[in-house]
Amino acid sequence: QQLRQFKQENGHLRVPVTNPELGEFVARQRMEYAKYMDGDTSVCMDKERAQELANLGFVFQAGKRRALDQRKPRKTWDERFDELMQFKDTHRHTLVPQSSMGLGEWVHKQRKNYKKLKAGKPSPLSTERVLKLADVGFVFDASGYRRGRKMTEDTLPSGASSSSKHVVIPVPTPPPYRPTMI
C-alpha cells in the first residue's frame, strides 16, 4: 500500500534505500529478487510476487550494478544448467573457464556454494542440485585444473560416475537427547 502511495506521489518506484518508510522493504525485495533469480528457493520471492512488483513498475536493480545487469536479464539456475550441458556436449567436460562470461561465473558460484554446503554453512545450493550436477560429471574442486595447465585427455575428469563418488553432502546431526522432568 505504501509502495502504491509512493508511486502516486512521485510518479515512479525508484525508491531510495534511505527512504525512512520504504527503504528497508525495497532493499529486501531487491535482495530476495536477486537470490530468487539465482535459483535460491529459500526466499519469500516467487514468480507471482516478482510479477506483481514488476506490474507496479518496481525497480529490482538500482545503483552501480543496474547498468551492467540491464544489458541481459539474469538466467535461472535451470537455464544455466542447460548451458552447462551444451558446453559439455561441445567440450566433453564441465570445466568451464571463469573468464567465460555468464556460464563461467555461474560454475564458479556453484563451486563456492558447494563448499559452503559441505562446511555446514547456509547455501542456496540444494542437495538435489548438487546431485544433479554430480550426475553429469561436474567437477566441484577444479583446483587441479587451473593456472594455465593444459587440459588433455589424461587430465580431464573421467565422467559422472567418478565425480559423483566424491560428492559430500552434509547430514545435520540431531540435538543430543535430554530427558525432561515432569
Side-chain angles (χ1 to χ4, degrees), residues 68-113:
L68 295 173
D69 289 345
Q70 282 191 342
R71 283 185 271 169
K72 291 185 230 169
R74 282 184 145 168
K75 294 187 178 181
T76 65
W77 192 93
D78 290 317
E79 289 172 328
R80 289 290 187 201
F81 183 80
D82 291 342
E83 276 186 55
L84 179 65
M85 293 297 80
Q86 291 172 2
F87 181 92
K88 183 180 179 186
D89 289 344
T90 304
H91 301 279
R92 297 186 358 235
H93 62 79
T94 59
L95 293 167
V96 181
Q98 280 185 39
S99 59
S100 174
M101 289 297 290
L103 183 60
E105 294 166 0
W106 179 84
V107 164
H108 177 68
K109 189 180 287 188
Q110 302 316 299
R111 290 186 180 119
K112 279 176 51 177
N113 289 336

Side-chain angles (χ1 to χ4, degrees), residues 56-161:
L56 280 173
F58 187 81
V59 178
F60 288 102
Q61 297 168 332
K64 293 177 184 175
R65 289 187 54 201
R66 183 175 181 211
L68 295 173
D69 289 345
Q70 282 191 342
R71 283 185 271 169
K72 291 185 230 169
R74 282 184 145 168
K75 294 187 178 181
T76 65
W77 192 93
D78 290 317
E79 289 172 328
R80 289 290 187 201
F81 183 80
D82 291 342
E83 276 186 55
L84 179 65
M85 293 297 80
Q86 291 172 2
F87 181 92
K88 183 180 179 186
D89 289 344
T90 304
H91 301 279
R92 297 186 358 235
H93 62 79
T94 59
L95 293 167
V96 181
Q98 280 185 39
S99 59
S100 174
M101 289 297 290
L103 183 60
E105 294 166 0
W106 179 84
V107 164
H108 177 68
K109 189 180 287 188
Q110 302 316 299
R111 290 186 180 119
K112 279 176 51 177
N113 289 336
Y114 173 71
K115 285 178 187 174
K116 287 179 186 177
L117 185 69
K118 192 173 157 185
K121 296 179 181 174
S123 170
L125 187 62
S126 68
T127 54
E128 293 82 16
R129 288 181 173 169
V130 169
L131 294 172
K132 189 172 181 178
L133 288 167
D135 284 344
V136 299
F138 187 81
V139 178
F140 288 93
D141 182 5
S143 58
Y145 300 99
R146 62 182 146 165
R147 293 187 185 88
R149 291 187 189 162
K150 275 268 194 214
M151 286 190 279
T152 64
E153 292 297 323
D154 301 338
T155 61
L156 286 176
S158 58
S161 59

Side-chain angles (χ1 to χ4, degrees), residues 170-178:
V171 177
T173 55
Y177 173 71
R178 295 195 177 148

